[in-house]
Amino acid sequence: SLAGKLVGSLDGIEYHYEPPTLKAISSLYTCGQLDISTAKILLTIYLSEDLLLESVQGRNANFRPTDYSMIFNTISWPDLVHRWQELSNRDDALEWIDNKQIRLAIKIPNLTDSLKLFNQLISDFRTILVVRDGRDVVQSVLKKKWMTDNSLKREMYPYSSIQDGIPVPYWVSDSKREEWPHMTPHTRSCMMYNYYSKIGYDLHEKDSTILSHVLR
């Protein structure tokens, strides 16, 4: 979140914090529920229309001071008012984006298994991978209660199956699905961290154009 704030405060950057629809589209593609052509169409529309253009025009600005996505974490009040006054329609926003060479930056966890898709979709795609101690990640996931039975039933992950009434996320291997309902949140959190972090490290080793920067 801190790295995202730093990037989001740079000139020429429109920043978004963990948009859930982006995670949903990319995960549905990764687990085979969307073909690549459909995923590219949905992502193109979502990234350009719902994120970049809406952000540039100051629509749906979040003013909640306790949220990481609060608008004033990245732009000032005068800047926001200026956009409301000067960018009256979509054409104005497109011209503004072109003139100022605006780029879209997104902070989102657990997207390493979809990076190849984004690399194909976006011609000048760049990724900053923040390498974090796995123990800290697991503690954070436990605090947010993402891997509890109640949370799994409530959240909108792409699930591969349901075992004993507990949804099984798509990243759980076939050999572990029957065990999943009986695992503790600690074990589930460790499995999630291992899945996504291994992909991130492997991608960086194999293709430096996909993960162009590593922050340690």
Side-chain angles (χ1 to χ4, degrees):
S1 298
L2 177 59
K5 276 188 176 182
L6 293 172
V7 173
S9 66
L10 298 174
D11 289 337
I13 295 293
E14 291 298 315
Y15 176 69
H16 287 268
Y17 179 86
E18 300 187 6
T21 302
L22 178 63
K23 175 61 180 172
I25 295 173
S26 59
S27 296
L28 286 168
Y29 162 75
T30 302
C31 68
Q33 295 186 39
L34 282 179
D35 61 68
I36 189 167
S37 60
T38 304
K40 285 183 176 181
I41 291 171
L42 291 175
L43 284 172
T44 299
I45 295 171
Y46 181 67
L47 292 172
S48 60
E49 299 294 331
D50 287 2
L51 294 188
L52 183 56
L53 280 168
E54 293 288 285
S55 178
V56 162
Q57 294 177 87
R59 299 178 185 270
N60 302 323
N62 180 8
F63 296 100
R64 285 171 52 90
T66 57
D67 289 354
Y68 286 116
S69 57
M70 198 263 285
I71 187 70
F72 299 130
N73 285 331
T74 52
I75 71 171
S76 66
W77 172 253
D79 186 8
L80 181 60
V81 172
H82 174 75
R83 297 181 188 200
W84 286 341
Q85 293 174 339
E86 299 298 323
L87 306 179
S88 60
N89 53 47
R90 187 174 185 276
D91 288 340
D92 288 345
L94 288 170
E95 184 178 356
W96 196 79
I97 291 168
D98 186 52
N99 290 338
K100 294 183 175 292
Q101 295 295 292
I102 302 298
R103 301 191 68 178
L104 182 66
I106 300 168
K107 182 267 179 182
I108 191 165
N110 301 345
L111 209 64
T112 52
D113 57 357
S114 304
L115 292 181
K116 288 184 178 180
L117 171 63
F118 287 91
N119 198 49
Q120 293 179 42
L121 178 65
I122 302 170
S123 60
D124 192 18
F125 179 66
R126 294 290 183 271
T127 301
I128 298 174
L129 175 65
V130 179
V131 181
R132 186 179 176 191
D133 190 305
R135 292 165 294 187
D136 292 336
V137 176
V138 170
Q139 287 299 320
S140 178
V141 174
L142 289 172
K143 184 177 180 180
K144 295 174 181 176
K145 300 181 179 180
W146 287 351
M147 292 294 108
T148 63
D149 289 352
N150 287 337
S151 181
L152 289 166
K153 293 175 182 178
R154 191 171 57 240
E155 301 295 335
M156 297 182 68
Y157 295 103
Y159 294 115
S160 60
S161 62
I162 297 179
Q163 298 286 340
D164 297 338
I166 306 300
V168 183
Y170 72 92
W171 42 263
V172 176
S173 64
D174 292 344
S175 62
K176 297 295 183 181
R177 286 180 186 173
E178 289 189 7
E179 299 178 43
W180 181 259
H182 312 293
M183 291 179 181
T184 66
H186 294 72
T187 303
R188 293 170 181 169
S189 299
C190 290
M191 286 181 62
M192 183 174 71
Y193 172 79
N194 287 337
Y195 170 81
Y196 286 107
S197 60
K198 184 179 186 304
I199 292 173
Y201 281 115
D202 289 348
L203 283 174
H204 185 258
E205 290 296 322
K206 294 176 182 178
D207 190 346
S208 60
T209 63
I210 293 178
L211 296 179
S212 57
H213 303 283
V214 177
L215 300 182
R216 291 188 181 271

